[in-house]
Amino acid sequence: QLSGLHMITMVISCFIVLYLGTNVLYNMSKAHTVHAAVLWVTIAAALDAGSSLFEIIHLYIYGKNGVGSYVADALAAHMEAVCDAFLVLLLLAFAAGWTLPNDVVRVNPNEGMVQKLVTDLAKPLASFSGTVVNA
């Protein structure tokens, strides 16, 4: 019964990740900009989908042996907690005055993919530390 609910959650989260992920990749390749909040929500949706996947694995194993998998259950709980932390940080950033139109992650087309993902991600967090990040 619970695995059906987790399956629905995982499918919805996967659709969100696919939509936002293609949006991020398209914007990074064409406009070389993407908003930091979109990256945060994409990561949170991916963590939620992973949490549901590991919970389904745990429940499947539980149905077979009556004990389940501690590793799958622990990973599901951990990914859900990290997803919740991402969303709380996003909401706290909004509450602290983070304005959406000002923080865009700009990428240099000559950089590698990992460098593209981490460049300018410090901008939203700079308001908490009191430092000024130049655009």
Side-chain angles (χ1 to χ4, degrees):
Q1 294 171 351
L2 285 177
S3 63
L5 180 64
H6 288 293
M7 184 66 75
I8 292 169
T9 304
M10 186 180 74
V11 168
I12 291 171
S13 295
C14 286
F15 280 131
I16 292 171
V17 169
L18 284 174
Y19 174 73
L20 291 176
T22 55
N23 186 1
V24 165
L25 291 176
Y26 176 77
N27 285 334
M28 282 182 150
S29 65
K30 298 295 180 193
H32 303 296
T33 61
V34 67
H35 198 281
V38 175
L39 289 176
W40 280 20
V41 172
T42 305
I43 292 169
L47 287 168
D48 187 51
S51 172
S52 294
L53 175 68
F54 282 115
E55 192 63 35
I56 290 168
I57 292 170
H58 166 69
L59 291 174
Y60 177 78
I61 295 172
Y62 179 79
K64 293 283 187 182
N65 65 10
V67 177
S69 169
Y70 174 74
V71 173
D73 194 31
L75 281 173
H78 180 70
M79 291 177 100
E80 185 176 348
V82 173
C83 172
D84 292 344
F86 263 76
L87 293 177
V88 165
L89 284 174
L90 183 65
L91 291 174
L92 283 173
F94 290 154
W98 181 32
T99 56
L100 288 178
N102 293 337
D103 291 318
V104 175
V105 177
R106 290 173 182 81
V107 289
N108 183 353
N110 298 328
E111 295 174 340
M113 189 54 141
V114 173
Q115 186 62 33
K116 286 180 183 181
L117 290 174
V118 297
T119 302
D120 286 344
L121 284 179
K123 288 171 81 174
L125 300 176
S127 62
F128 294 114
S129 65
T131 59
V132 177
V133 178
N134 295 331

